Amino acid sequence: MYDLNEVRTFVSVMETGSLKESAQKLGVSKSTLSRRINHLEHALSQPLLRRQANRLFANEAGIKFLPFAKKMLTVADEGHKAVEELKDEISGSLIVYVHTTLVRGWFSGLMFDFLDEFPQVNIEVRSGNQLFQEVKSNDVCVWLGEPANDHLRSEQIGTLSQGLYASADYLDRIGMLSHPSELNQYAWVDTLKSEQNDIALEHDTQGCVSFDLPKSRLTVDQYILHAEAIIRGKGVGLLPHYFAGKHLSRHPEVFVSCLPEWKGKPLPVYLQYPFGHLPKKMQTLIQYLREEAKAFY
């Protein structure tokens, strides 16, 4: 039976090539590391390392043993996590992937509140607008739009309604809209990258109106840049009401609502998380996000 500390030392030395660097990384003395390596080599009945120009390299036995050593550490870490998840206390680390649009004004605030309420939890937040390829089966993802990661359970927790917005200066020059049929007389801000060639606006009593989207010279993947084009008077564009409201609370009158009774296609907000039994820390975060997402309805 191998001592895990000895195995961990061997893997670390293979990564650094130096007892000194590994000692600093593992927080122990060089003599302790040397002793661990010697014990491991004794258990295997053959040396694993060779020294060359003040660096340590694996010999043939070390090269063959290294992948098994890494696998042992992975299994040991997974076992430790599995046992840790049985604890009733809410503690440990989580990785949360969040769509950029949801970070400012919503997610950032609730995460600070969550960390204050649960001081034993650590959260790593990764944000973006494209689907995250690195999302693993033990992570949480909060996404705007239809999810495409079938390795995780998907649950819709909210909907972002959309409306038309333009800068006050632009409307002063061109005139105020009175009906969507007039939109072909206005410049249309369509900077968000989309596969749609048309757009539909709905009214509670007047039904639906659709029109073709003009091509845009500028394409972006962030609502903050899309909003900036509207603020700069480039035309009329769609924005989520929640996003626009948060933006206006910080910068009043940078743009105004046009035809508020007409709405664009709502954007679903999805929560994605692993299948099966979840650790207490993840269950707590998921429920927290469900409650906070009620602001979207």
Side-chain angles (χ1 to χ4, degrees):
M1 181 64 66
Y2 308 120
D3 185 296
L4 285 177
N5 285 327
E6 295 171 0
V7 175
R8 199 176 301 277
T9 296
F10 169 70
V11 171
S12 177
V13 171
M14 288 299 90
E15 293 173 347
T16 65
S18 166
L19 281 178
K20 181 179 179 181
E21 290 181 36
S22 290
Q24 294 174 342
K25 181 179 178 181
L26 297 175
V28 296
S29 65
K30 285 176 60 178
S31 60
T32 298
L33 290 195
S34 295
R35 187 166 59 252
R36 289 178 180 176
I37 293 293
N38 289 334
H39 287 171
L40 182 60
E41 290 178 329
H42 179 74
L44 291 167
S45 300
Q46 59 183 315
L48 299 171
L49 304 173
R50 60 182 175 84
R51 184 179 294 276
Q52 180 179 326
N54 296 322
R55 302 291 291 180
L56 291 170
F57 299 90
N59 59 19
E60 185 178 358
I63 292 173
K64 287 190 174 183
F65 182 67
L66 182 59
F68 296 99
K70 290 181 176 180
K71 188 178 294 186
M72 279 188 275
L73 295 179
T74 298
V75 171
D77 289 341
E78 290 177 350
H80 179 75
K81 290 179 180 179
V83 173
E84 193 178 57
E85 290 170 359
L86 296 176
K87 297 178 181 177
D88 289 333
E89 64 181 24
I90 302 170
S91 62
S93 299
L94 289 166
I95 297 178
V96 185
Y97 295 83
V98 188
H99 193 283
T100 303
T101 302
L102 303 174
V103 173
R104 293 186 63 185
W106 180 68
F107 189 82
S108 58
L110 73 85
M111 275 299 92
F112 287 121
D113 293 340
F114 183 85
L115 291 174
D116 288 341
E117 187 171 345
F118 303 101
Q120 300 303 315
V121 175
N122 301 314
I123 295 179
E124 178 181 344
V125 178
R126 301 178 185 178
S127 63
N129 298 76
Q130 304 301 320
L131 291 173
F132 297 101
Q133 300 300 321
E134 69 272 27
V135 177
K136 297 181 176 62
S137 59
N138 57 345
D139 299 330
V140 176
C141 182
V142 187
W143 194 249
L144 183 63
E146 295 296 332
N149 191 330
D150 55 7
H151 299 298
L152 299 172
R153 182 190 299 274
S154 296
E155 173 188 340
Q156 186 172 344
I157 59 172
T159 301
L160 289 180
S161 60
Q162 297 190 93
L164 296 170
Y165 291 87
S167 73
D169 289 342
Y170 178 78
L171 294 176
D172 285 343
R173 296 196 313 269
I174 308 299
M176 197 67 180
L177 275 165
S178 59
H179 191 270
S181 60
E182 301 171 355
L183 280 170
N184 59 0
Q185 304 171 29
Y186 291 73
W188 179 253
V189 177
D190 180 37
T191 57
L192 287 171
K193 192 173 184 179
S194 173
E195 296 180 356
Q196 289 183 308
N197 295 319
D198 59 1
I199 190 169
L201 297 173
E202 294 186 359
H203 190 282
D204 290 341
T205 60
Q206 298 183 40
C208 180
V209 173
S210 62
F211 61 96
D212 293 334
L213 291 175
K215 291 184 178 180
S216 176
R217 294 173 56 212
L218 173 66
T219 300
V220 299
D221 63 357
Q222 295 190 32
Y223 273 102
I224 189 66
L225 298 177
H226 184 69
E228 183 66 22
I230 295 174
I231 292 169
R232 289 175 175 267
K234 301 302 181 181
V236 181
L238 274 177
L239 285 173
H241 289 121
Y242 184 87
F243 177 88
K246 289 294 183 180
H247 200 86
L248 288 171
S249 67
R250 295 188 298 269
H251 310 286
E253 300 180 359
V254 290
F255 48 68
V256 296
S257 175
C258 307
L259 304 177
E261 66 277 14
W262 290 88
K263 296 179 176 60
K265 182 180 179 181
L267 301 172
V269 180
Y270 277 90
L271 179 62
Q272 293 186 280
Y273 51 89
F275 291 96
H277 177 73
L278 303 178
K280 189 72 172 179
K281 59 187 177 183
M282 189 174 290
Q283 293 179 31
T284 304
L285 175 62
I286 289 171
Q287 185 57 35
Y288 199 90
L289 291 170
R290 286 184 184 128
E291 293 296 321
E292 293 296 328
K294 290 178 180 179
F296 294 146
Y297 282 106

